[in-house]
Amino acid sequence: DGGITQSPKYLFRKEGQNVTLSCEQNLNHDAMYWYRQDPGQGLRLIYYSQIVNDFQKGDIAEGYSVSREKKESFPLTVTSAQKNPTAFYLCASSRPQDNEKLFFGSGTQLSVL
Amino acid sequence: GQNIDQPTEMTATEGAIVQINCTYQTSGFNGLFWYQQHAGEAPTFLSYNVLDGLEEKGRFSSFLSRSKGYSYLLLKELQMKDSASYLCAVRDVLNRDKLSFGAGTTVTVRA
């Protein structure tokens, strides 16, 4: 079955540490996205990529980095520069044939130790 | 940017009907989506509206009025499994067609 896989489900970060969240899809979608979800707030876009080897900053990119070396993979690194990283992180993908509706992974809950 | 407003919480009884409203302000409207999200899980697609009118899909319907910047999601014959957060999202062609999300409406279905 096709889908989006995020790992790990739960992740803990120590002060000053960089951590990487994995996102893999086998839907053959060109576009991939990373969102951050905080309680009481809407999903906020961190980074997105519409094609391999290209990505764009979203609304809250500071303190994060991404890469898109393969169509299937779009990992997100939360760097030590992100001072408030505790949140639920969602990866998504889309394709034009579906009106670019988003297909989401199951999410990663990141917490700071 | 967009302002997307939806109520924070709603409670309804099993078998009843609930209407979740969403208002938005955007310069280049290019579609509105509704997603359902159970706690700790991925949002799943419910509906898409780009033209005015009502889209019906089983127990769920979604309505759009572009002139009023208004949409609603109608949930009929409520079931306990419908307890979830419902997210309204708007696509703006002037924002590179990216989606902006409302904060979500938590619906609680009581027996």
Side-chain angles (χ1 to χ4, degrees):
Chain A
D1 289 337
I4 301 180
T5 302
Q6 286 187 243
S7 61
K9 180 70 173 175
Y10 301 96
L11 186 60
F12 297 91
R13 194 192 88 167
K14 296 179 181 178
E15 292 287 340
Q17 185 182 40
N18 292 354
V19 292
T20 297
L21 284 60
S22 171
C23 179
E24 304 277 333
Q25 55 101 358
N26 60 4
L27 298 168
N28 200 33
H29 288 175
D30 287 314
M32 297 187 73
Y33 311 79
W34 275 105
Y35 287 89
R36 170 180 172 141
Q37 188 173 33
D38 294 278
Q41 296 189 42
L43 275 66
R44 291 183 290 168
L45 184 64
I46 305 172
Y47 267 99
Y48 64 104
S49 168
Q50 293 180 311
I51 197 169
V52 175
N53 292 323
D54 185 53
F55 48 83
Q56 307 292 331
K57 292 183 179 180
D59 301 317
I60 55 166
E62 185 175 352
Y64 301 96
S65 66
V66 293
S67 63
R68 187 84 187 276
E69 298 176 1
K70 299 185 300 181
K71 187 176 185 178
E72 301 80 16
S73 179
F74 192 40
L76 173 74
T77 297
V78 184
T79 75
S80 57
Q82 172 50 245
K83 299 305 180 186
N84 185 23
T86 296
F88 190 53
Y89 290 86
L90 286 160
C91 179
S93 68
S94 70
R95 63 173 188 168
Q97 298 93 321
D98 292 322
N99 293 310
E100 296 286 5
K101 74 179 184 185
L102 298 176
F103 293 81
F104 286 90
S106 56
T108 294
Q109 175 64 49
L110 176 63
S111 303
V112 177
L113 290 176
Chain B
Q2 296 83 31
N3 290 324
I4 302 172
D5 293 313
Q6 46 181 136
T8 303
E9 295 180 332
M10 301 183 75
T11 301
T13 305
E14 197 174 13
I17 299 172
V18 69
Q19 177 174 315
I20 306 169
N21 296 324
C22 173
T23 59
Y24 62 89
Q25 294 174 324
T26 184
S27 301
F29 176 83
N30 192 28
L32 185 144
F33 295 79
W34 284 97
Y35 286 85
Q36 180 192 61
Q37 185 181 25
H38 288 97
E41 297 183 9
T44 55
F45 170 80
L46 288 179
S47 69
Y48 170 70
N49 295 71
V50 67
L51 299 176
D52 291 349
L54 186 69
E55 294 280 344
E56 297 188 83
K57 198 182 287 186
R59 294 189 298 114
F60 294 178
S61 303
S62 58
F63 172 82
L64 174 68
S65 170
R66 288 172 296 171
S67 63
K68 296 182 179 178
Y70 168 70
S71 172
Y72 68 72
L73 180 69
L74 194 69
L75 314 181
K76 295 180 281 189
E77 300 170 18
L78 280 173
Q79 301 176 9
M80 299 300 288
K81 66 178 181 180
D82 297 330
S83 292
S85 183
Y86 292 85
L87 313 178
C88 174
V90 174
R91 188 163 63 202
D92 188 344
V93 68
L94 298 180
N95 193 25
R96 300 183 184 178
D97 266 343
K98 292 181 294 181
L99 282 184
S100 293
F101 284 82
T105 300
T106 299
V107 172
T108 301
V109 181
R110 299 179 303 190

